[in-house]
């Protein structure tokens, strides 16, 4: 571990000059020795196609959770499916009609949901949307 990293933590903040202030970190330095990604800074790169009209970007992940941003295009459905991951989400922008099991709700920015493991779910994308979701355990196919 570099000299300027404290203890056994996997991340460290190197002392750099930011905004003219010595000792303030401009960006955290990430040590991915344990396979986790602890920090993510906003940019428009790194999105991969998930399905037609749907792109995803893994933001951060730990041993037990994974955080993903989805960009969904109006008119492109998310077909009903199920998986062994618990999934909790938050709608940042847009509108969705989300079905979880037998329940369907229309969602607007600020709405949230939780999908238990192995429960069938899907969505209609009513407007271009951005959703952020947590998966537990982390999906290896999203790393």
């Amino acid at each position: 571990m570099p000299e300027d990293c404290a203890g056994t933590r996997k991340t460290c903040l190197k002392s750099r000059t930011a905004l003219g202030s010595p000792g303030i970190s401009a960006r955290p330095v990430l040590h991915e020795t344990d396979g986790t990604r602890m920090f993510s800074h906003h940019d428009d790169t790194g999105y991969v196609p998930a399905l037609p009209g749907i792109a995803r970007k893994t933001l951060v992940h730990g041993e037990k959770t994974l955080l993903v941003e989805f960009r969904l295009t109006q008119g492109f459905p998310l077909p009903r499916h199920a998986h062994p991951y618990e999934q909790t989400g938050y709608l940042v922008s847009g509108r969705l009609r989300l079905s979880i099991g037998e329940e369907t709700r229309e969602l607007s920015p600020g709405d949230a949901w939780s999908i238990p493991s192995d429960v069938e779910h899907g969505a209609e994308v009513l407007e271009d949307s951005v959703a952020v979701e947590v998966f537990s355990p982390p999906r290896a196919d999203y790393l």
Side-chain angles (χ1 to χ4, degrees):
M1 185 173 290
E3 288 179 13
D4 54 351
C5 292
T8 59
R9 295 188 57 128
K10 300 295 188 282
T11 60
C12 72
L13 298 177
K14 286 191 175 179
S15 182
R16 291 189 233 173
T17 301
L19 304 174
S21 301
I24 295 177
S25 175
R27 291 210 184 255
V29 176
L30 177 63
H31 299 285
E32 294 195 49
T33 57
D34 65 352
T36 64
R37 181 172 181 195
M38 298 174 72
F39 293 96
S40 175
H41 295 278
H42 176 73
D43 65 41
D44 286 326
T45 64
Y47 291 88
V48 297
L51 293 167
I54 301 173
R56 68 172 163 77
K57 177 181 182 177
T58 296
L59 300 174
V60 292
H61 58 90
E63 291 179 30
K64 297 180 183 174
T65 60
L66 173 116
L67 182 67
V68 180
E69 180 180 315
F70 290 92
R71 292 183 177 181
L72 306 104
T73 305
Q74 180 179 359
F76 287 88
L78 173 63
R80 289 184 70 86
H81 63 287
H83 48 67
Y85 310 97
E86 186 172 287
Q87 180 176 347
T88 302
Y90 177 83
L91 189 60
V92 176
S93 65
R95 282 185 33 245
L96 301 175
R97 184 171 296 121
L98 179 63
S99 297
I100 302 171
E102 299 302 315
E103 293 189 48
T104 300
R105 297 274 164 49
E106 193 165 309
L107 304 174
S108 300
D111 292 343
W113 57 91
S114 182
I115 305 168
S117 304
D118 299 313
V119 172
E120 193 172 87
H121 56 284
E124 295 174 57
V125 183
L126 305 175
E127 294 177 4
D128 288 354
S129 300
V130 174
V132 176
E133 295 189 292
V134 174
F135 292 87
S136 180
R139 294 183 63 143
D141 57 333
Y142 282 16
L143 296 176

